[in-house]
Amino acid sequence: MLNMQFDRRVIINANDLAWQPSPMDGVLRKPLAREEEERGHATSIVKYAPKSVFKHHEHPLGEEILVLDGVFSDEFGDYPAGTYIRNPAGTSHTPFSHVGCTLLVKLHQFSANDHHQIRIDTRDDKHWIDGQGRLRMLLLHEFNGEQVAMIRWPAGQHFFSISHFCGEEILVLSGEYRDEYGKYPAGTWLRNPHMFEYNPFAEEDTLLWVKVGHLPYPVG
């Protein structure tokens, strides 16, 4: 068990973590949260060395991927940096990378009846829209209260008293995200519990991957 207490705020700078081996040669990982070592709920930064291959596997409760750098591949295609991928329950593949890549990977976290399979190139500006304040937003997925998006924060943008029903998860991709509690540079993963209130801002242009409405609702 690692960071499975969903009623607590978690902040991890993945740059400070050491790479750990996986069951496959050439594939390393930095666990951020996990239920068991090799199965169940897991969120990790994963690194494929050039010409590495992971064994064929299924996705019992879904797989969600954001390609952070390099080119990720499987038998269905090649996915360069910036690609967002959802493989729902019932799908399977044999992933590999010719040139190497780094990924954000989330396993066994799909909502029931969420069968959407998605491939989105987040670098394509045509689907970005204006958001609250001066933010720019690219909606990646929405289902049953859960929402995933890329968000561009311009320098100097401040918000006050933000909170999210069923929590929020953030990966800082570039720039530096801030709030009244600290500063979070690129590579930082944050998980805010249900209705956690804070005041975020950015003093430089900042890019975030953000997921909201997906954490367990507190009981009692």
Side-chain angles (χ1 to χ4, degrees), residues 50-106:
K51 300 181 180 180
S52 58
V53 179
F54 205 90
K55 66 181 179 180
H56 185 86
H57 61 272
E58 298 182 351
H59 309 118
L61 290 174
E63 176 185 57
E64 184 176 13
I65 295 172
L66 179 66
V67 184
L68 304 177
D69 64 42
V71 180
F72 177 65
S73 302
D74 61 18
E75 61 268 46
F76 306 108
D78 300 317
Y79 315 108
T83 305
Y84 177 71
I85 300 167
R86 290 182 73 88
N87 294 317
T91 61
S92 63
H93 67 164
T94 305
F96 62 93
S97 181
H98 290 304
V99 300
C101 63
T102 308
L103 316 170
L104 170 68
V105 179
K106 296 178 65 63

Side-chain angles (χ1 to χ4, degrees), residues 130-158:
D130 292 333
Q132 189 177 3
R134 295 183 295 118
L135 301 185
R136 295 279 291 168
M137 175 180 172
L138 173 60
L139 181 64
L140 301 173
H141 179 63
E142 193 169 25
F143 182 82
N144 197 28
E146 174 184 307
Q147 188 178 82
V148 187
M150 301 283 281
I151 300 179
R152 293 173 177 165
W153 278 66
Q157 178 68 66
H158 289 237

Side-chain angles (χ1 to χ4, degrees), residues 110-116 143-144:
F110 276 38
S111 298
N113 302 315
D114 183 357
H115 304 301
H116 294 84
F143 182 82
N144 197 28

Side-chain angles (χ1 to χ4, degrees), residues 112-191:
N113 302 315
D114 183 357
H115 304 301
H116 294 84
Q117 188 162 28
I118 294 174
R119 307 284 188 271
I120 296 176
D121 183 356
T122 68
R123 302 168 303 172
D124 187 345
D125 283 339
K126 67 183 179 182
H127 297 301
W128 287 78
I129 62 173
D130 292 333
Q132 189 177 3
R134 295 183 295 118
L135 301 185
R136 295 279 291 168
M137 175 180 172
L138 173 60
L139 181 64
L140 301 173
H141 179 63
E142 193 169 25
F143 182 82
N144 197 28
E146 174 184 307
Q147 188 178 82
V148 187
M150 301 283 281
I151 300 179
R152 293 173 177 165
W153 278 66
Q157 178 68 66
H158 289 237
F159 283 106
F160 297 95
S161 191
I162 284 182
S163 60
H164 292 282
F165 192 88
C166 287
E168 175 186 42
E169 187 174 342
I170 298 168
L171 182 64
V172 184
L173 301 174
S174 65
E176 184 179 72
Y177 196 50
R178 301 186 183 192
D179 61 21
E180 66 268 42
Y181 304 106
K183 302 177 182 179
Y184 316 113
T188 304
W189 178 73
L190 302 94
R191 195 181 68 203

Side-chain angles (χ1 to χ4, degrees), residues 26-59:
V27 180
L28 303 174
R29 58 194 176 186
K30 295 180 178 182
L32 303 174
R34 68 183 180 193
E35 187 174 5
E36 297 184 38
E37 188 168 358
E38 299 301 339
R39 64 179 183 177
H41 178 117
T43 299
S44 307
I45 304 296
V46 177
K47 183 176 183 178
Y48 280 67
K51 300 181 180 180
S52 58
V53 179
F54 205 90
K55 66 181 179 180
H56 185 86
H57 61 272
E58 298 182 351
H59 309 118

